[in-house]
Amino acid sequence: IGAYNSSSDGFKSIYFAFADYGIASNMQENMNHNTGAAMSASSKIKIEGNCDEFGTDEYNYALGLKRAKAVQDSLAAQGIDPDKTMLVSFGESNAVCTEASEDCYQRNRRVDIRLVK
């Protein structure tokens, strides 16, 4: 799953397990990369939480926000000022894949990071 990337501006997407918002150990390399990219970023960073299609709109909005917050907290622990970041949740509305398959669902359970332009 780490081969996919729907982030931009030099950041890498962070993927999550079903119904989870903890950053898995296999995503640590991507988080380290994102910390470096955030340190050199000259503008604010938008952290976008996304979910698969399972769950209500309200549940997925909240889960997307928890995922974005987990990434923000991880960046903050590495020295990135939280004031340099903004959180957004798209819930299930920003799918990058629409096939009915586990591989596709996994690609939608993610946080994307990009610069605020």
Side-chain angles (χ1 to χ4, degrees):
I1 191 76
Y4 297 107
N5 187 34
S6 43
S7 292
S8 59
D9 303 313
F11 293 99
K12 291 185 177 179
S13 298
I14 305 298
Y15 294 93
F16 294 85
F18 179 75
D20 193 13
Y21 57 92
I23 298 173
S25 58
N26 67 337
M27 286 288 112
Q28 202 51 56
E29 195 175 305
N30 282 12
M31 279 306 308
N32 293 342
H33 173 90
N34 290 337
T35 299
M39 284 183 178
S40 62
S42 55
S43 66
K44 280 190 92 142
I45 299 157
K46 185 162 56 163
I47 304 171
E48 304 171 346
N50 296 275
C51 301
D52 60 28
E53 63 192 55
F54 301 102
T56 63
D57 288 347
E58 294 80 12
Y59 174 85
N60 284 336
Y61 177 79
L63 182 58
L65 215 48
K66 288 176 182 174
R67 287 174 173 168
K69 178 82 172 106
V71 170
Q72 181 189 47
D73 290 348
S74 179
L75 289 171
Q78 298 300 315
I80 303 301
D81 184 349
D83 289 340
K84 189 178 180 175
T85 62
M86 61 181 285
L87 303 181
V88 105
S89 175
F90 289 114
E92 65 194 66
S93 68
N94 196 25
V96 292
C97 185
T98 55
E99 296 164 28
S101 70
E102 182 54 31
D103 182 59
C104 182
Y105 300 139
Q106 282 184 327
R107 289 172 58 192
N108 290 328
R109 297 192 283 260
R110 70 190 193 283
V111 163
D112 291 332
I113 307 174
R114 53 191 94 247
L115 296 177
V116 174
K117 299 214 169 34

